[in-house]
Amino acid sequence: MKWLLLLVSVAAAEPRSGALDMSRELQAMQADDSANPGMLWVQEGEALFHRAEGRAQKACADCHAGLAGVATRYPAWDEATAAPIDLAGRIQQCRAERQQAAPLARESEPLLALAAFVTRQSRGLPLAPPEDPRLAPALARGEALFRQRRGQLNLSCAQCHEERAGLRLGSALIPEGQANGYPQYRLEWQALGSLQRRLRNCMVGVRATAPAFGAAEYTEIELFLARRGAGLAVEAPAVRP
Amino acid sequence: MNRREFAAGALLALALRPAAGLATPEDQAAAIRAFTGGVVPREGRVELDIPPLVENGNVVPLKVTVASPMTTADHVTAIALFNEKNPQPQVVTARFGPRAGRAELATHMRLATSQFITAVAAMSDGSFWSTRQEVIVTLAACIES
Amino acid sequence: MARVLLNLPRSAARGAVIEIRTLIMHPMESGFRPGTNGTILPRDIITRFTCDYDGEVVFQAELSSAIAANPFISFTTVATESGTLSFTWEGDDDFRQTETRAITVT
């Protein structure tokens, strides 16, 4: 009996990808690169990755080859700013410092495309957030933000996506809110979007004030979500309803 | 209007649109008559693969397959798809010839609400065949605002 | 230029039926939706897709507002001989884009 209980509790702790709760047809759309609309951004990202940019007239590809696994390790510690940085932030930083090119705004099409192209190369690999002690304070803040009630609805992320994951809100299934599919093609958006956009959705949804894209709060929540979903296979560009 | 506002408006628009703005089963029947020239299509030969339950009507994958040898003498000349309750009954009309090899069409469509979708095939011998499928669209609980 | 994803074999046996899958980045603004200021956004959709095989139309589709954003169209054609397949999307506001792919038939 003890064994059984142990098994049950371990099973409950395993993160569950939202893909498993989609219809067979949407799972097929995600898996088929010729039907997954997110691949349009991946292709755009590949072109941008190989294009020389900025005063340095350097392409991403001049320095980086074979980025498999890289996206699984973000957010990571950034020495320069002594703060955690997510993948989109790192691309922005590389662009500013190495390419010396005009900045790409958060949620801009080129930045989404580059992030999609880079993350696509980790598809199927498990999320492997870095065990960096310098990240610990931000990780703790991220978890606190995840559990903090907010907005006029006075709801925390955890109240829906942890305590009520697997239940339904209306007819819609409440997912665990795992981060393994971003950037993802959300049918509601009819476009590719980042995890920060999704976080902003939820904050606005509970009638809370959402920080501007790129704010430290988002990176901290991203850090916690990566830790919480560690081991889940990267699905980017995922398709979600 | 940016992409975000575009997406935000989408479901709200669907939710708030008065019923009068939607097509009706009669509109669908009229659109099918216009396609067939008044001929009533016979049931059969057409297969419509569309999910019976969709989580979001913005992107609904579907595939139409028609049983036909696709020879010069005997082939599908067109496949048309019709809905009952979107603003307009037409979805897509595809023209085929024997060079298609197979009478197959796959696409992603929009569904404003739960309804019947009808696929009609026009054959080179002048006959029309059809099938229909009901699709239930569930409403999203959380939409971007 | 809108981003396009084309999926088809580069070569095929003569007489083989090949599957062609296409995606193009396009909002497919339906013309039925109010914008944030309450007025209806003008329709901006792709209305026609055509596939030519060495200049001969082998597949054509007329699209409506009921086709999802970033339209996906999949169909088949018989690999008759080595040549060029051309794909054209046409739509509102004089939208027109053509992509070509060579195919080797053995």
Side-chain angles (χ1 to χ4, degrees), chain C residues 3 11 14 18-19 33 47 56 60 65 70 73 77 79 82 87 90 95 99-100 102:
Chain C
R3 182 61 59 180
S11 64
R14 192 176 305 277
I18 59 166
E19 192 169 339
R33 259 170 9 99
T47 51
E56 188 185 333
Q60 188 164 69
S65 296
N70 305 311
I73 302 170
T77 193
S82 295
F87 307 89
E90 296 165 89
F95 182 88
E99 301 278 331
T100 59

Coordinates of all heavy atoms in Angstrom, one line a residue, chain C residues 3 11 14 18-19 33 47 56 60 65 70 73 77 79 82 87 90 95 99-100 102:
Chain C
R3 N 5.9 35.2 -46.2 CA 6.7 33.9 -46.0 C 5.8 32.7 -46.4 O 4.6 32.7 -46.1 CB 7.0 33.8 -44.5 CG 7.9 32.7 -44.1 CD 9.2 32.6 -44.7 NE 10.1 33.7 -44.5 CZ 11.4 33.7 -45.1 NH1 11.8 32.7 -45.8 NH2 12.1 34.8 -44.8
S11 N 12.1 15.1 -56.4 CA 12.1 14.2 -57.5 C 11.0 13.1 -57.3 O 10.6 12.9 -56.1 CB 13.4 13.5 -57.7 OG 13.7 12.7 -56.5
R14 N 8.0 8.7 -62.7 CA 7.0 9.2 -63.7 C 5.7 8.5 -63.4 O 5.6 7.3 -63.1 CB 7.5 8.8 -65.1 CG 6.6 9.4 -66.2 CD 7.2 9.1 -67.6 NE 8.6 9.5 -67.7 CZ 9.0 10.7 -68.0 NH1 8.1 11.6 -68.3 NH2 10.3 11.0 -68.1
I18 N 2.1 12.8 -56.3 CA 2.9 13.5 -55.3 C 2.0 14.4 -54.5 O 1.0 15.0 -55.0 CB 4.1 14.3 -55.8 CG1 3.6 15.4 -56.8 CG2 5.1 13.4 -56.4 CD1 4.7 16.4 -57.1
E19 N 2.3 14.5 -53.2 CA 1.5 15.3 -52.3 C 2.2 16.7 -52.1 O 3.4 16.7 -52.0 CB 1.3 14.6 -50.9 CG 0.3 15.3 -50.1 CD -0.1 14.5 -48.8 OE1 0.1 13.3 -48.8 OE2 -0.6 15.1 -47.9
R33 N -15.3 41.4 -38.8 CA -14.9 41.6 -37.4 C -14.8 43.1 -37.1 O -14.1 43.8 -37.9 CB -13.6 40.9 -37.2 CG -13.7 39.6 -36.5 CD -12.3 38.9 -36.4 NE -11.2 39.7 -36.9 CZ -10.3 40.3 -36.1 NH1 -10.5 40.2 -34.8 NH2 -9.3 40.9 -36.6
T47 N -7.9 35.1 -52.1 CA -9.1 34.6 -52.7 C -8.9 33.5 -53.7 O -9.8 32.7 -54.0 CB -9.8 35.8 -53.5 OG1 -8.8 36.4 -54.3 CG2 -10.4 36.8 -52.5
E56 N 0.6 24.6 -67.2 CA -0.7 24.1 -67.2 C -1.3 24.1 -65.8 O -0.6 23.5 -64.9 CB -0.8 22.7 -67.8 CG -2.2 22.3 -68.1 CD -2.3 20.8 -68.6 OE1 -1.3 20.4 -69.2 OE2 -3.3 20.2 -68.3
Q60 N -6.6 24.3 -58.6 CA -6.9 25.7 -58.2 C -8.0 25.7 -57.1 O -8.8 24.8 -57.1 CB -7.5 26.4 -59.5 CG -7.7 27.9 -59.3 CD -7.9 28.6 -60.6 OE1 -8.9 28.5 -61.2 NE2 -6.9 29.4 -61.0
S65 N -13.5 33.9 -46.6 CA -13.1 34.3 -45.2 C -13.2 33.2 -44.2 O -12.7 33.4 -43.1 CB -14.1 35.4 -44.7 OG -14.0 36.5 -45.6
N70 N -3.1 32.4 -42.1 CA -1.9 31.6 -42.5 C -2.4 30.3 -43.2 O -2.1 29.2 -42.8 CB -1.0 31.3 -41.3 CG -0.6 32.5 -40.6 OD1 -0.2 33.5 -41.2 ND2 -0.8 32.5 -39.3
I73 N -3.0 24.7 -47.5 CA -3.7 24.0 -48.6 C -2.8 22.8 -49.0 O -1.6 22.9 -49.2 CB -4.0 24.8 -49.8 CG1 -4.8 26.1 -49.4 CG2 -4.7 24.1 -50.9 CD1 -4.9 27.1 -50.5
T77 N -0.7 15.9 -57.2 CA -0.7 16.0 -58.6 C 0.2 14.8 -59.1 O 1.0 14.2 -58.4 CB -0.1 17.3 -59.2 OG1 -0.3 17.4 -60.6 CG2 1.4 17.5 -58.9
A79 N 3.2 13.3 -61.2 CA 4.5 13.7 -61.7 C 4.6 13.2 -63.1 O 4.8 12.0 -63.4 CB 5.6 13.1 -60.8
S82 N 9.9 16.1 -65.9 CA 10.7 17.1 -65.2 C 10.3 18.5 -65.6 O 10.1 18.7 -66.8 CB 12.2 16.8 -65.5 OG 12.6 15.6 -65.0
F87 N 3.4 28.2 -57.9 CA 2.3 28.3 -56.9 C 2.0 29.8 -56.8 O 2.9 30.6 -56.5 CB 2.7 27.7 -55.6 CG 3.2 26.3 -55.7 CD1 4.6 26.1 -55.9 CD2 2.3 25.3 -55.5 CE1 5.0 24.7 -56.0 CE2 2.8 24.0 -55.6 CZ 4.1 23.7 -55.9
E90 N -3.4 34.8 -54.8 CA -3.9 36.1 -55.1 C -5.0 36.5 -54.1 O -5.7 35.6 -53.7 CB -4.5 36.1 -56.5 CG -3.5 35.8 -57.6 CD -4.3 35.4 -58.9 OE1 -4.6 36.3 -59.7 OE2 -4.6 34.2 -59.1
F95 N -3.0 41.6 -53.7 CA -2.1 40.6 -53.2 C -1.8 39.6 -54.2 O -2.7 39.0 -54.8 CB -2.6 39.9 -51.9 CG -1.6 39.0 -51.3 CD1 -0.7 39.4 -50.4 CD2 -1.6 37.6 -51.7 CE1 0.3 38.5 -49.8 CE2 -0.7 36.8 -51.1 CZ 0.3 37.2 -50.2
E99 N 5.6 31.4 -56.2 CA 6.8 30.7 -55.8 C 6.9 29.5 -56.8 O 5.9 29.0 -57.2 CB 6.7 30.1 -54.4 CG 6.4 31.1 -53.3 CD 7.7 31.7 -52.8 OE1 8.8 31.1 -52.9 OE2 7.7 32.9 -52.4
T100 N 8.1 29.1 -57.1 CA 8.3 28.0 -58.0 C 9.2 27.0 -57.4 O 10.1 27.3 -56.6 CB 8.9 28.5 -59.4 OG1 10.2 29.1 -59.1 CG2 8.0 29.5 -60.1
A102 N 11.4 23.3 -58.8 CA 11.7 22.4 -59.9 C 11.4 21.0 -59.4 O 11.6 20.7 -58.2 CB 13.2 22.5 -60.3

